[in-house]
Amino acid sequence: AGLAFGGMAPITATATRTMAALVGQVWERGLLDRATVALAEDMPLPDNVPGGQADYRRSLPPAFFLKFYLATSQALATQAEADPALPSAPQVDAREVSGAENFVTAPKPGTRGEQVYPRPATGGLTGADPSGTAAPLPGDGGAEAPRGPVGDPVPHMSSQRQASGEAVYVDDMPSPPGLLHAALVLSTVPHARILAVDKSHALALDRGAGERVMAVLDASDVTGSNLIGAVIKDEEVFATQVVPCAGQVIAVVVGTSLRVAQAGARLVQVTYEELPPVLSIDSAIQVGSFFPNSDHEI
């Protein structure tokens, strides 16, 4: 058996001291106290831990172990009642019995939610004349008709399917025959000149049964413009000479499965000449690093 906890380290952390301290021990209340001490040694968190809430997170491993202890003790008691040959189980205080319940899987009554808020007295949208000037909607006797639907409690068109789980997303759809998958080759350095991109190992990847890399595409394969941008197209789709940040897209690997495409992306070898970082206005001026399409004046 093992004890492992998430949220206590960048990866799942194993409570090795606690596991060693519990081996060969009798299942009784004192075991809980020894495990709590060992868990504090296994799962230390500094007060400035990323994500914060250090005190709360330190309290979770012993709390989860207490829940496990209570649930196991009650299960052993049930077995001992059914089979007198079994040893008696530790007594669980009546005040702690509910601590063994799993609120995720326990039966629950149906629930509903409701939000009550004041409705605007005059509604929202108005009509508009051809000139674009907003105008009240006409009503009987010259009075202004009720306006809407702004302010009205109108359900979102897709809310029923999303809330019921009936909505179908892309990951819910079966893949069509012959579907290809893509994985990006990203820069591993923050600022560097690209000296070479070796695709050969990725292109040679073939795991059999039709699972293989079909192509590796980069800027040299773009037949049109390699530049994109919402207004000013000044960003490269695939980096050509210099990568300005870690994670910049350099190439894309296309394979017959997502797994083989991702494996192929890891096989693409990029040779860099790392460049000094530009971290201040002075260093930007020194190396001539300015935003394009500007007059460089303050």
Side-chain angles (χ1 to χ4, degrees):
L3 295 173
F5 300 89
M8 306 299 292
I11 59 175
T12 301
T14 304
T16 53
R17 295 184 182 86
T18 308
M19 291 189 293
L22 298 181
V23 172
Q25 298 297 308
V26 177
W27 190 263
E28 44 87 22
R29 187 75 187 198
L31 180 74
L32 186 61
D33 298 330
R34 292 190 291 274
T36 300
V37 173
L39 283 170
E41 298 175 355
D42 275 325
M43 305 292 163
L45 282 180
D47 292 335
N48 62 346
V49 62
Q53 298 181 310
D55 288 338
Y56 167 71
R57 289 159 65 185
R58 281 193 289 260
S59 71
L60 290 178
F64 283 130
F65 189 83
L66 171 61
K67 192 176 192 71
F68 171 68
Y69 172 83
L70 295 175
T72 302
S73 297
Q74 293 182 47
L76 291 175
T78 301
Q79 294 176 11
E81 290 178 3
D83 187 353
L86 295 175
S88 59
Q91 294 295 316
V92 175
D93 191 295
R95 296 170 298 179
E96 296 180 330
V97 170
S98 63
E101 295 179 6
N102 186 329
F103 295 101
V104 176
T105 58
K108 306 178 191 66
T111 60
R112 65 183 296 272
E114 181 176 318
Q115 180 180 7
V116 179
Y117 56 92
R119 180 176 176 179
T122 58
L125 293 179
T126 66
D129 63 26
S131 67
T133 304
L137 295 176
D140 294 336
E144 183 178 327
R147 295 177 293 175
V150 174
D152 289 346
V154 180
H156 192 283
M157 291 181 62
S158 61
S159 60
Q160 294 290 342
R161 289 187 176 275
Q162 290 175 334
S164 65
E166 296 176 272
V168 178
Y169 296 89
V170 173
D171 281 350
D172 302 321
M173 302 176 185
S175 299
L179 177 70
L180 296 179
H181 301 258
L184 298 176
V185 179
L186 305 177
S187 169
T188 58
V189 295
H191 190 206
R193 181 174 288 105
I194 299 175
L195 300 181
V197 178
D198 185 356
K199 312 174 187 178
S200 59
H201 297 286
L203 290 171
L205 182 58
D206 187 342
R207 292 179 168 175
E211 190 178 19
R212 63 189 183 91
V213 168
M214 303 293 291
V216 181
L217 309 174
D218 60 13
S220 64
D221 299 291
V222 177
T223 56
S225 174
N226 187 46
L227 297 177
I228 56 174
V231 179
I232 300 174
K233 295 178 172 32
D234 58 355
E235 181 179 349
E236 291 186 315
V237 177
F238 298 109
T240 53
Q241 297 179 344
V242 174
V243 290
C245 63
Q248 175 72 27
V249 177
I250 297 175
V252 59
V253 176
V254 180
T256 55
S257 71
L258 179 60
R259 184 176 63 176
V260 78
Q262 292 173 334
R266 291 191 292 269
L267 291 176
V268 175
Q269 298 178 357
V270 183
T271 305
Y272 302 98
E273 176 192 347
E274 294 202 41
L275 302 173
V278 180
L279 304 176
S280 67
I281 292 178
D282 290 337
S283 60
I285 294 173
Q286 183 177 1
V287 299
S289 177
F290 303 106
F291 282 114
N293 309 301
S294 65
D295 54 14
H296 307 162
E297 292 184 1
I298 297 179

